[in-house]
Amino acid sequence: MTDVTHDRIPLAALEHGTPFADRHVGPMPAELARMLDVIGVGSLEELGQKSVPDTIREGDLQLALPEPATESEALAELRELARRCRPHTEMIGLGYYGTVTPPVILRNVLESPAWYTAYTPYQPEISQGRLEALLNFQTMVADLAGVPVANASMLDESTAAAEGMTLLRRAGRSKSPRFVVDADTLPQTIAVIETRAEPLGIEVVVADLSAGAQALPEGEFFGALLSYPGASGAVRDQEQIIAEVHRRGAKVVVAADLLALTLLRSPGEIGADVVVGSTQRFGVPMGFGGPHAGFMAVAKGLERQLPGRLVGVSVDADGNQAYRLALQTREQHIRREKATSNICTAQVLLAVVASMYAVYHGPAGLRSIATRAHRMAAVLAEQLRRGGVEVLHREFFDTVVVRVPGKADDVVAAARRGGINLRRVDADHVGISCDETTTRAHLAAVWQAFGVTGGDTDELDIETPDALPAALERTSEYLTHPVFHTHRSETSLLRYLRQLSDKDIALDRSMIPLGSCTMKLNATAEMEPITWPEFGSLHPFAPAQDAEGLLSIVKDLETWLAEVTGYDAVSLQPNAGSQGEFAGLLAIRAYHRSRGAADRDLCLIPASAHGTNAASAVMAGMRVIVVRCDDAGNIELEHLRELVAEHADDLAAIMVTYPSTHGVYEDTVREVCGLVHDAGGQVYVDGANLNALIGLARMGKFGSDVSHLNLHKTFCIPHGGGGPGVGPIGVREHLAPFLPNHPMQPAAGPVTGVGPISAAPWGSASILPISWAYVRMMGADGLRRATLTAVATANYVARRLNNYFPVLYTGKGGFVAHECILDLRQISKTSGITVDDVAKRLADYGIHAPTMSFPVAGTLMVEPTESENLAELDRFCETMIAIRAEIDKVVAGQWPADDNPLVGAPHTAASLAKDWDHAYSREEAAYPLGTDVVKVWPPVRRIDGARGDRNLVCSCPPLDAYQA
Ligand SMILES: *Cc1c(COP(=O)(O)O)cnc(C)c1O
């Protein structure tokens, strides 16, 4: 017998299998050693010690997190948590409805990395697929809303309504600070509007407008919000009110239900200026509140006021139709404190799902889904009436409210026993909503809860007329574009989806080295649970006991995020980083007020900050002063000292990003915090760059009071082509009483909180399992290893490329943090080749461009993340080096400045098939590194953005338009 015991791996270790961290982290040990060699350090630990300032580094930090689980262990735990969720048949309504995600869309969009790992389409030439899907979304929304232009998604219905309010304030002529809100509006929307209005000095007047135009309050107001249908389900003709509001010099936002609009006259036709709402019920699971795509659409003349992103049609260099983001793309970066909104990450993936739902069903299919919901509600109401129950409204779409004096609790409890959640409006009223999933059996169960017996649904159906006002019947057409009439079979839709995603470069094809965006692995095991029905089918206002498992995930995440950041309390409600910024600044504002320092309203923001910072500060009622940065990219301390001294009485806060958006660990951060604290201000650290800190330092310990984190950056929620996101905030104890809360869910925040900043109590709850799984599987050591590896990949790229494209800023010891800025300004000056040319040329090499011209114009910011292995890092470096050689050829005159592969990039297959009369060859155009590569063909040539802006087309153009 051979003695093998010495070499054997113990069974316990074998049973455990490969640690997840080995899968998440790209470079294998031997690769890492090679990288460290190039960087010039002996180990990851040494790199950490040398690059992170001693003033903040917690050398012996042992994060108190559970021991890491394997993928199967984590999934088993998640299954157990899912078992502890017991979704009922949700007939609560209030903006959230049962819906069926067509399986072909579920698997090939929601569960497909080609869609969910894509980035925001700032590089339009390699984003045509998702841009087309978003254009379909805009067309769908604009058509149904009856106005010409819709944007490519808002964070949810309530924030869209609040943005509608601020849009009217910007665009309107009235100087009045008053905004009227119809009382029959979703309660969470009223609450979010109030949160947004208060710091801006907008006075919200909630008025019962059920009696029509004469119920409008006296005196001036700048705008009004109407609901169509109302929260009570009532469908009212709003035409007279809108006319009266207009007559009085104000404008109108209508919060509308897109499904109802397939049957009802559109808000545009009755005069709405702005239409907002949610597309959740277009195939997106309720998910205990989110994520789903909100929308905003506007009447003619307001399109340049739209917040968020707008897809438009233009042409490429060959004259072919092509899509790209129009107008205010990255608007905050340009306009900063004057931006229309702070929205950055939106809800692209969910907008794609909703748009495909419309593409698949078409107008007739949507109409029949709407009719089903309506007929179910009509029949339901009729039998209740016959049973002696008072139904409040005669005209409704899918929701009825009934009066049961003193009995609402009993009825709601009886319905629950029958497996159904109804809405308890108050002690005397119950709301019931029908949807695409409502069956005749559900109606029977509801009747039983009211003690109403009998009721033959089919007979009732014959005897019951529709409950929609005849005058509001929809006569105008919608979704007439061929795309909504072509893909009825699954085969056809499947191929359409594949055709679109094949046009794009997502993480499943190439690294996406986008500085500040942290495009790391979104592991399959992390993603699996989000489409489990136990999480997806929960209504956000269902009793908490139905969501025990998901709430346990919420609690774990709050605890773990507090631990990794060193804060005392966390709120998961904000559904993007921008919303976290707003929530955090509101907390600071409320804190100052609680201490009688309401005059503190000044926010200092370094010149290098992300544009959302300034936009959020303004939304929180603060003034912004910019702190200069010095030549090394650091906050100019002298300038900060001056500003702090000058503003000792009105300083509210400083917002700093750490490590900075220059990709550097500034070693003065403690001093910065101290200066601001000494002057009575609070410190907000923008935590978008947390991927460079976890396990090494904690902002809650080095002087910050509050931060947002981007779970869609550091904590593996995929970018989805521009959303969803989650932007929780962590705060120190003194700010904890001022976290967001929610009027319908006391457990979601402190009673003393600043109000809700999202529609749902826990924001985008259904994607929290992704971040939960990441922390659960990485453990403390894994997270620290990820951080150090991310710093290593960035420093490796910086070292390899510095001789070709100088690295603009470095910190202590000449190291960068987790990203580096490549300075092309000098190269551009001598060669005429711009960052744009380089970005487009990268597409010919099959690589997604880095972040362009942020935070410094004329530069590229590269963030490789810990998930890329050495081969991919080298492919990127070698490509950049090859591009540098191409630039040199232009400089040397070998290629003319106006005819070379850089200015000609990107090259489509079709462009090569045509006559070729360029100074460079077809091979140089398409296969610059030889033909031994898997070629990714860009589907369009360089897109003319300016032309598209002059000639704004933001819905699907006729199929033959713009052909060369
Ligand atoms: C991404 C980012 C934000 C904005 O976050 P969103 O989730 O897109 O709203 C803010 N600050 C910095 C530094 C960022 O990188």
Side-chain angles (χ1 to χ4, degrees):
M1 262 186 91
T2 46
D3 178 12
V4 292
T5 49
H6 294 302
D7 299 315
R8 266 204 192 133
I9 300 167
L11 191 55
L14 287 171
E15 184 194 11
H16 205 65
T18 306
F20 173 73
D22 287 355
R23 305 291 189 196
H24 176 84
V25 168
M28 293 180 282
E31 296 179 339
L32 185 66
R34 298 229 301 277
M35 287 160 53
L36 293 174
D37 218 37
V38 171
I39 300 169
V41 291
S43 67
L44 278 181
E45 288 305 325
E46 186 188 336
L47 179 62
Q49 278 162 23
K50 288 195 163 155
S51 52
V52 181
D54 299 334
T55 46
I56 62 162
R57 195 164 50 82
E58 299 181 54
D60 50 359
L61 180 56
Q62 268 301 323
L63 293 174
L65 296 172
E67 281 302 305
T70 62
E71 288 173 289
S72 5
E73 286 162 358
L75 279 167
E77 286 178 27
L78 282 159
R79 276 204 191 85
E80 188 48 42
L81 289 162
R83 253 194 298 280
R84 286 169 51 207
C85 289
R86 280 166 240 87
H88 288 54
T89 298
E90 310 287 17
M91 300 181 81
I92 297 170
L94 291 180
Y96 302 91
Y97 306 91
T99 181
V100 178
T101 315
V104 59
I105 298 175
L106 182 79
R107 173 156 293 189
N108 299 291
V109 178
L110 210 47
E111 298 179 337
S112 163
W115 287 97
Y116 69 67
T117 69
Y119 179 64
T120 305
Y122 290 136
Q123 292 295 331
E125 292 84 1
I126 48 167
S127 311
Q128 290 294 297
R130 53 196 188 273
L131 283 164
E132 178 166 329
L134 289 175
L135 197 72
N136 293 345
F137 176 84
Q138 291 178 181
T139 305
M140 164 189 97
V141 171
D143 269 20
L144 288 168
V147 290
V149 181
N151 73 1
S153 86
M154 301 293 287
L155 289 163
D156 58 37
E157 171 162 354
S158 301
T159 55
E163 300 244 6
M165 168 180 75
T166 49
L167 186 158
L168 292 193
R169 197 169 198 217
R170 283 195 304 278
R173 280 177 314 249
S174 169
K175 291 276 172 282
S176 164
R178 293 205 305 162
F179 184 69
V180 179
V181 178
D182 180 7
D184 197 9
T185 293
L186 299 175
Q188 70 271 23
T189 292
I190 298 180
V192 167
I193 284 177
E194 282 170 342
T195 308
R196 290 271 190 116
E198 196 270 332
L200 297 176
I202 295 175
E203 197 186 310
V204 176
V205 182
V206 179
D208 177 0
L209 301 179
S210 57
Q214 74 268 23
L216 283 166
E218 286 178 19
E220 200 179 338
F221 49 87
F222 71 85
L225 179 122
L226 307 174
S227 290
Y228 183 65
S232 68
V235 176
R236 301 189 181 95
D237 191 340
Q238 313 273 26
E239 199 167 6
Q240 301 302 319
I241 302 189
I242 293 175
E244 177 62 14
V245 172
H246 284 162
R247 203 188 58 75
R248 291 171 63 176
K251 288 189 187 298
V252 179
V253 186
V254 171
D257 178 335
L258 279 193
L259 191 63
L261 297 185
T262 62
L263 304 178
L264 293 173
R265 263 181 95 190
S266 70
E269 289 168 278
I270 56 173
D273 301 290
V274 178
V275 187
V276 297
S278 163
T279 58
Q280 180 267 316
R281 69 194 308 179
F282 279 35
V284 182
M286 284 179 279
F288 202 44
H292 344 99
F295 67 81
M296 180 182 284
V298 294
K300 198 165 163 31
L302 291 176
E303 52 274 37
R304 281 162 209 268
Q305 300 285 343
L306 267 174
R309 296 182 181 117
L310 182 62
V311 177
V313 183
S314 189
V315 293
D316 74 357
D318 287 343
N320 291 316
Q321 175 186 302
Y323 313 116
R324 90 281 175 251
L325 293 177
L327 300 182
Q328 56 276 76
T329 303
R330 315 218 78 180
E331 204 229 20
Q332 305 107 14
H333 289 302
I334 299 156
R335 304 192 7 129
R336 305 182 78 87
E337 69 271 17
K338 296 189 186 66
T340 49
S341 156
N342 70 341
I343 187 172
C344 180
T345 290
Q347 300 282 17
V348 168
L349 187 65
L350 303 316
V352 171
V353 169
S355 77
M356 290 304 167
Y357 179 92
V359 163
Y360 200 34
H361 287 298
L366 292 180
R367 204 180 166 86
S368 83
I369 290 167
T371 306
R372 170 192 182 155
H374 175 64
R375 290 302 305 164
M376 287 285 178
V379 165
L380 174 87
E382 178 59 22
Q383 180 63 12
L384 287 176
R385 260 189 231 111
R386 290 182 187 184
V389 180
E390 183 189 343
V391 179
L392 281 199
H393 307 292
R394 293 219 70 83
E395 294 175 321
F396 52 83
F397 166 55
D398 63 356
T399 295
V400 292
V401 171
V402 298
R403 219 169 86 81
V404 280
K407 293 247 173 58
D409 288 316
D410 296 345
V411 169
V412 169
R416 258 180 88 73
R417 285 194 293 277
I420 293 177
N421 282 330
L422 302 180
R423 174 186 176 206
R424 179 194 184 277
V425 180
D426 56 33
D428 306 326
H429 296 91
V430 174
I432 313 153
S433 291
C434 299
D435 57 47
E436 183 187 3
T437 66
T438 306
T439 62
R440 291 178 295 170
H442 294 142
L443 301 192
V446 173
W447 289 328
Q448 198 181 3
F450 282 90
V452 172
T453 48
D456 178 317
T457 313
D458 298 314
E459 262 172 38
L460 281 162
D461 186 30
I462 294 164
E463 293 162 12
T464 310
D466 280 352
L468 293 169
L472 290 177
E473 191 190 336
R474 179 142 191 163
T475 52
S476 58
E477 285 193 302
Y478 48 86
L479 309 189
T480 54
H481 189 274
V483 77
F484 299 107
H485 295 264
T486 308
H487 307 293
R488 280 308 162 269
S489 77
E490 177 164 334
T491 301
S492 180
L493 187 72
L494 179 70
R495 289 184 190 146
Y496 180 52
L497 291 171
R498 177 65 190 260
Q499 231 177 57
L500 292 185
S501 61
D502 272 1
K503 294 181 176 179
D504 293 6
I505 294 186
L507 275 176
D508 61 338
R509 295 182 120 171
S510 149
M511 74 187 286
I512 304 186
L514 281 159
S516 217
C517 299
T518 315
M519 300 292 288
K520 57 163 70 172
L521 170 74
N522 317 117
T524 312
E526 293 155 4
M527 291 300 293
E528 240 181 66
I530 65 155
T531 47
W532 292 350
E534 292 89 336
F535 299 139
S537 309
L538 286 167
H539 191 288
F541 307 140
Q545 74 223 55
D546 293 7
E548 212 181 277
L550 202 45
L551 288 173
S552 159
I553 287 173
V554 165
K555 209 164 177 29
D556 284 346
L557 255 187
E558 285 174 357
T559 309
W560 298 344
L561 294 179
E563 172 66 15
V564 301
T565 54
Y567 284 119
D568 300 308
V570 167
S571 167
L572 292 166
Q573 193 184 92
N575 46 19
S578 61
Q579 308 303 296
E581 291 172 19
F582 176 58
L585 292 170
L586 281 186
I588 289 176
R589 181 172 194 271
Y591 169 75
H592 286 313
R593 296 194 158 226
S594 76
R595 294 158 50 95
D599 295 345
R600 292 193 172 271
D601 68 345
L602 178 69
C603 188
L604 299 178
I605 300 182
S608 59
H610 195 273
T612 52
N613 289 183
S616 299
V618 171
M619 284 170 61
M622 296 183 185
R623 292 174 296 130
V624 173
I625 292 187
V626 174
V627 189
R628 289 195 297 266
C629 290
D630 62 20
D631 291 344
N634 300 318
I635 293 178
E636 214 181 288
L637 275 190
E638 260 327 295
H639 190 216
L640 178 64
R641 281 202 192 92
E642 271 167 42
L643 288 170
V644 162
E646 197 179 322
H647 294 282
D649 296 330
D650 58 2
L651 180 62
I654 188 167
M655 288 182 97
V656 291
T657 305
Y658 203 84
S660 74
T661 56
H662 288 152
V664 172
Y665 295 106
E666 290 180 52
D667 49 20
T668 55
V669 66
R670 242 185 212 281
E671 220 176 325
V672 167
C673 297
L675 278 170
V676 171
H677 280 150
D678 290 347
Q682 291 279 292
V683 177
Y684 186 110
V685 167
D686 179 328
N689 291 341
L690 187 66
N691 210 43
L693 281 188
I694 299 183
L696 305 181
R698 292 177 290 176
M699 48 265 246
K701 301 294 181 205
F702 65 64
S704 178
D705 301 292
V706 45
S707 293
H708 77 264
L709 322 176
N710 305 64
L711 299 193
H712 46 300
K713 294 177 181 173
T714 313
F715 291 89
C716 300
I717 290 175
H719 211 80
V726 178
I729 56 172
V731 293
R732 287 185 41 211
E733 199 155 17
H734 63 283
L735 294 181
F738 310 110
L739 284 171
N741 56 14
H742 199 280
M744 283 131 105
Q745 182 44 271
V751 276
T752 48
V754 293
I757 53 125
S758 302
W762 287 281
S764 295
S766 69
I767 52 175
L768 296 178
I770 302 170
S771 299
W772 185 94
Y774 176 59
V775 178
R776 185 71 194 84
M777 296 190 295
M778 291 293 273
D781 291 346
L783 290 176
R784 183 183 162 81
R785 177 174 156 202
T787 307
L788 288 167
T789 309
V791 175
T793 60
N795 278 285
Y796 175 74
V797 169
R799 289 285 147 103
R800 279 212 63 187
L801 293 182
N802 190 38
N803 289 339
Y804 305 91
F805 300 97
V807 173
L808 183 54
Y809 299 122
T810 54
K812 179 186 155 209
F815 295 101
V816 296
H818 66 316
E819 58 195 8
C820 62
I821 298 179
L822 305 177
D823 191 356
L824 274 74
R825 291 173 297 185
Q826 193 55 39
I827 296 167
S828 294
K829 219 179 262 172
T830 52
S831 66
I833 299 299
T834 64
V835 270
D836 230 38
D837 297 327
V838 172
K840 306 307 171 191
R841 185 62 176 149
L842 277 165
D844 281 333
Y845 286 81
I847 293 182
H848 195 292
T851 298
M852 258 170 48
S853 291
F854 170 76
V856 181
T859 66
L860 292 172
M861 182 157 61
V862 180
E863 179 182 1
T865 83
E866 70 276 15
S867 298
E868 298 301 336
N869 64 12
L870 186 58
E872 185 69 354
L873 296 170
D874 281 340
R875 184 170 81 100
F876 175 70
C877 291
E878 274 142 31
T879 297
M880 289 300 290
I881 292 167
I883 288 177
R884 177 61 214 254
E886 292 177 347
I887 296 173
D888 289 342
K889 278 191 175 182
V890 176
V891 175
Q894 281 170 270
W895 285 328
D898 61 353
D899 187 22
N900 59 65
L902 292 141
V903 298
H907 299 84
T908 59
S911 71
L912 299 191
K914 287 197 214 146
D915 289 341
W916 190 261
D917 56 357
H918 292 289
Y920 54 102
S921 71
R922 290 181 167 101
E923 287 75 11
E924 284 167 325
Y927 289 99
L929 293 179
T931 51
D932 189 22
V933 293
V934 179
K935 175 71 185 168
V936 175
W937 288 102
V940 294
R941 308 268 329 266
R942 187 91 57 105
I943 297 172
D944 183 345
R947 169 170 165 165
D949 279 355
R950 281 193 306 275
N951 212 330
L952 199 58
V953 177
C954 298
S955 53
C956 302
L959 284 187
D960 56 355
Y962 293 96
Q963 294 300 326

